[in-house]
Amino acid sequence: MDIFFTVTLNAMTLISILMLVGLGLGIIYGLMGVINLSHGEFVTIGAFSLAFVQAMGGSFWLALLIAPIIGGLVGLLIEQSIIRHLYTRPLATIMATWGLSLIIQQMLQLIFGASPQKVFSPISATVSIFGANYPVYRLVLISLAISLMVSCYLLMKKTRFGLDLRTVIQNPDMADALGINTKRVYAIAFSLGAAFAAIAGVLIAPLTAVVAHMGVNYLARSFFVVIVGGAGSVPGVVAGSTFVGGIETLLNYAIPATLSQALVLVFAIVLVRMKPTGLVER
Amino acid sequence: MDHSTNKSRTTRGRYLALLTVLALAAVLATPLFVGVYSASLIRDALLFALLALALDFLWGKTGVLSFGHAAFFGAGAYGAAIISTRFGLDPALGSWAGLLAGILISATIALIVGYFLIFGGVRDSYFTIVTLALAVIADHVVTGWSSVTGGDAGILGIPPLHFPSSDGWAALSPLALYWFIAGIVSVVGFSVWWACRGRYGAVLKSIEDNEQRSQALGHNTSLHLLIVFVLSASIAALGGGLYASTVGFVAKDTIGLLLSTQAIIWVAIGGRGTLIGPVLATILVIWLEQEITSIDTKFWPLAMGGLFILAVFAFPDGILKTLERLFNRLRSSAEPKEAKGND
């Protein structure tokens, strides 16, 4: 019985992480159609922000506030300087963002060095759930992820910005004619997506090795979260991350982690063949 | 098609043909003038150029961008390495069996994946992302399945290709091997060019321009795309298999995302759809990489990232077309200017 709960909680941890990374990508790719191959680097920027804040003597919670600001600002800078000019050229966006991702990775490595950064989990306690000992930190991570998902959903459905964003997505020209500042909406959406990825980076950091290349590990998986779930909706991201995270956790008990990640992507390809529009229709 | 387009197309064809002949002559003559090290660098670059050619066949001729082409190159390399070293085959037989097996493995993977994706209606950015995952999967498999692939250490001791000689089967001399490889690249490049000219090329072009319209005209577009995808994967695997037998070892850098993206730079910088452009760009970029990493290895990823962004903004159609435009402007500076659309 306790194994069942451990597996479920492990799956929920991974699902939460993928949800947050996928949420940022869901905004940038799913809604705006920008294939942002530097999305993984925003996760890395988040994780490095935590390492930096903690090295300066700050707390985990401070980093959780600072990382999305840094991520969002870098995102805004990139959108304004590069992506903005490429909205009509999807292939060019792919190339430019991959170039960016290489540059960000190498800059981080040049500044911080190649060895893994030191980060500390804010809570080291474990709690007993139905006989299974489980780190409290992971439970905090899961609940934070859920509350962020809910807030994002409300942002999309209940606020003026969410309405504007959905309008721009349905028909940019019409939105422009109606007086919505589409450029501004795109810029904010991109920066918001980057900020979510940075938060994910902070939350992931205590569970993994914080190195400059860590983002690549989340790139393909988060694209699959968005494609499998159905591009452009919060429920889609939830469905997609549950599929990818759930299967990966289960497989991890039977085969090496690298092979299970590979196998999940294979399953995802088969699923994309059967349901090209994703699990949740927009 | 009005007269002026036809004319510019012939000029373009002549320009590319002239460039190809010059490039071929330069490549063939190179080992006679440069040292052993430089010649081996160009020889290896030519093998990577096969990957660029393969990608240009797919991306340049049909508009479908695969981010996972290194997986096919790598499958060719690892296929050749595993077959020729793990089964106790005679090196002469093993080298050829390995090359063939690598190509077959790649073609089979491409056939299965391509069937799922292309007939499933996966196109455009979706296709690119799914093939990106292919490169990631290949990377994970090589790392995770280390009993077969050697993991991070790779596989050593792959026999070179053997040819009949006066005293039985033997490996080629470095110079002969260089020319053999240059010959293979020329034959493959010429075959792709030959296949894509005329009517078949027009069919592929119609798929690139508007697949639905092409379908309405009665073309089985999915089948065409699948065939090109499988052939392209086989060419990439040929490059990978030859690479394994030429350098004698394979490691993770012959598979995975980084090589995939490099192949995309080669094609983008050389000029998508020109075939000779990507081949020249491969040699140029690998030479540049060598120069930059000899200063400091840390600079290369920065330079490569910068090249990507530069290519997007400074020469969106590739260096070759930018040069060609200059060339045309010089030629026709006396003639009245023609309105030219984007291709």
Side-chain angles (χ1 to χ4, degrees):
Chain A
M1 203 54 185
D2 51 341
I3 289 176
F4 172 76
F5 282 106
T6 317
V7 173
T8 313
L9 285 171
N10 279 345
M12 282 187 71
T13 310
L14 184 59
I15 291 167
S16 304
I17 289 167
L18 292 178
M19 241 166 36
L20 287 178
V21 185
L23 189 60
L25 199 69
I27 296 172
I28 293 171
Y29 171 67
L31 298 181
M32 301 162 68
V34 172
I35 303 180
N36 176 25
L37 293 186
S38 59
H39 192 68
E41 274 56 52
F42 290 107
V43 176
T44 316
I45 287 174
F48 273 72
S49 306
L50 173 64
F52 186 71
V53 168
Q54 287 188 334
M56 294 287 121
S59 75
F60 179 88
W61 310 108
L62 179 66
L64 205 54
L65 286 177
I66 289 178
I69 297 174
I70 297 176
L73 283 177
V74 175
L76 190 66
L77 184 75
I78 289 171
E79 201 273 345
Q80 287 292 304
S81 57
I82 295 176
I83 314 280
R84 184 162 68 99
H85 309 286
L86 303 175
Y87 281 122
T88 52
R89 296 170 55 198
L91 285 177
T93 322
I94 297 179
M95 288 183 47
T97 51
W98 183 255
L100 263 173
S101 122
L102 292 173
I103 292 175
I104 295 174
Q105 278 175 29
Q106 198 60 24
M107 296 281 269
L108 285 174
Q109 193 160 335
L110 283 177
I111 299 169
F112 293 93
S115 52
Q117 301 299 308
K118 283 197 184 69
V119 291
F120 310 100
S121 169
I123 309 157
S124 54
T126 58
V127 65
S128 175
I129 305 169
F130 299 102
N133 273 326
Y134 211 75
V136 178
Y137 175 69
R138 292 192 173 211
L139 300 177
V140 173
L141 189 158
I142 294 167
S143 39
L144 268 172
I146 293 172
S147 40
L148 280 167
M149 289 304 284
V150 173
S151 356
C152 186
Y153 185 77
L154 293 177
L155 179 77
M156 295 293 291
K157 293 287 179 193
K158 300 285 178 200
T159 65
R160 179 60 201 262
F161 171 74
L163 184 66
D164 283 358
L165 184 58
R166 282 182 290 141
T167 314
V168 172
I169 287 145
Q170 281 203 344
N171 191 335
D173 296 331
M174 184 64 84
D176 209 23
L178 289 171
I180 296 172
N181 188 343
T182 50
K183 282 179 184 158
R184 192 166 148 263
V185 171
Y186 272 148
I188 296 174
F190 194 89
S191 149
L192 197 66
F196 269 114
I199 294 180
V202 176
L203 292 174
I204 294 165
L207 304 175
T208 181
V210 179
V211 289
H213 302 102
M214 65 183 284
V216 180
N217 203 10
Y218 295 94
L219 183 67
R221 286 196 284 175
S222 53
F223 266 109
F224 269 104
V225 163
V226 176
I227 290 181
V228 163
S233 76
V234 176
V237 170
V238 177
S241 40
T242 308
F243 177 89
V244 175
I247 294 183
E248 195 179 314
T249 312
L250 283 179
L251 286 175
N252 268 340
Y253 283 87
I255 52 176
T258 46
L259 285 185
S260 66
Q261 282 191 15
L263 211 55
V264 170
L265 296 185
V266 172
F267 284 143
I269 292 176
V270 175
L271 193 78
V272 169
R273 165 70 177 91
M274 293 187 299
K275 279 190 84 70
T277 50
L279 292 167
V280 180
E281 306 258 344
R282 178 137 51 119
Chain B
M1 284 283 147
D2 61 340
H3 175 68
S4 66
T5 340
N6 271 333
K7 193 182 129 204
S8 84
R9 186 156 289 173
T10 1
T11 328
R12 169 126 198 269
R14 257 185 230 146
Y15 161 79
L16 285 180
L18 181 73
L19 196 72
T20 310
V21 171
L22 285 176
L24 193 64
V27 164
L28 288 177
T30 300
L32 302 175
F33 298 101
V34 301
V36 181
Y37 178 74
S38 300
S40 71
L41 188 73
I42 296 176
R43 180 198 67 201
D44 294 352
L46 281 170
L47 292 171
F48 284 112
L50 276 178
L51 172 61
L53 251 176
L55 186 64
D56 196 28
F57 184 22
L58 180 70
W59 183 25
K61 299 296 178 188
T62 70
V64 173
L65 173 59
S66 160
F67 233 101
H69 252 49
F72 299 121
F73 186 89
Y78 273 95
I82 292 165
I83 300 292
S84 62
T85 60
R86 302 273 153 112
F87 293 93
L89 293 173
D90 174 65
L93 176 67
S95 62
W96 288 101
L99 184 64
L100 202 67
I103 295 171
L104 282 177
I105 292 168
S106 246
T108 312
I109 297 171
L111 189 67
I112 296 170
V113 173
Y115 172 76
F116 266 103
L117 300 181
I118 294 168
F119 280 86
V122 177
R123 291 291 186 281
D124 304 327
S125 54
Y126 271 53
F127 189 89
T128 305
I129 296 163
V130 175
T131 48
L132 182 148
L134 205 61
V136 176
I137 293 172
D139 204 312
H140 283 323
V141 168
V142 167
T143 315
W145 202 12
S146 54
S147 57
V148 174
T149 62
D152 286 324
I155 299 174
L156 292 163
I158 302 158
L161 282 181
H162 282 59
F163 293 84
S165 71
S166 51
D167 39 64
W169 290 74
L172 291 177
S173 73
L175 194 62
L177 182 65
Y178 179 98
W179 280 327
F180 172 72
I181 286 168
I184 295 249
V185 176
S186 316
V187 168
V188 170
F190 183 78
S191 311
V192 172
W193 169 80
W194 187 78
C196 291
R197 63 199 272 277
R199 199 182 129 71
Y200 192 65
V203 172
L204 294 185
K205 180 85 186 128
S206 80
I207 295 174
E208 181 184 1
D209 288 346
N210 187 334
E211 195 184 336
Q212 273 183 327
R213 198 162 52 195
S214 180
Q215 239 161 18
L217 288 169
H219 298 301
N220 189 341
T221 58
S222 295
L223 188 64
H224 282 306
L225 287 176
L226 183 63
I227 292 171
V228 173
F229 188 61
V230 172
L231 284 177
S232 168
S234 310
I235 296 171
L238 171 69
L242 286 173
Y243 181 80
S245 68
T246 301
V247 300
F249 66 91
V250 287
K252 265 180 64 181
D253 58 355
T254 57
I255 209 163
L257 212 48
L258 204 60
L259 182 60
S260 274
T261 58
Q262 277 173 311
I264 294 172
I265 311 188
W266 300 330
V267 176
I269 287 185
R272 191 159 86 79
T274 58
L275 299 177
I276 180 68
V279 171
L280 293 178
T282 309
I283 299 174
L284 191 76
V285 173
I286 287 181
W287 170 77
L288 196 68
E289 176 179 359
Q290 202 64 32
E291 293 293 310
I292 293 176
T293 47
S294 71
I295 305 169
D296 193 332
T297 48
K298 293 190 204 85
F299 293 139
W300 176 239
L302 289 179
M304 191 161 68
L307 263 179
F308 251 116
I309 297 170
L310 188 72
V312 162
F313 286 103
F315 22 88
D317 308 321
I319 289 181
L320 220 57
K321 285 190 186 167
T322 310
L323 284 177
E324 183 198 349
R325 220 165 282 143
L326 267 171
F327 176 79
N328 281 344
R329 200 171 298 161
L330 287 175
R331 274 172 61 105
S332 60
S333 51
E335 295 171 31
K337 278 205 177 113
E338 294 160 4
K340 217 182 159 206
N342 278 340
D343 24 342

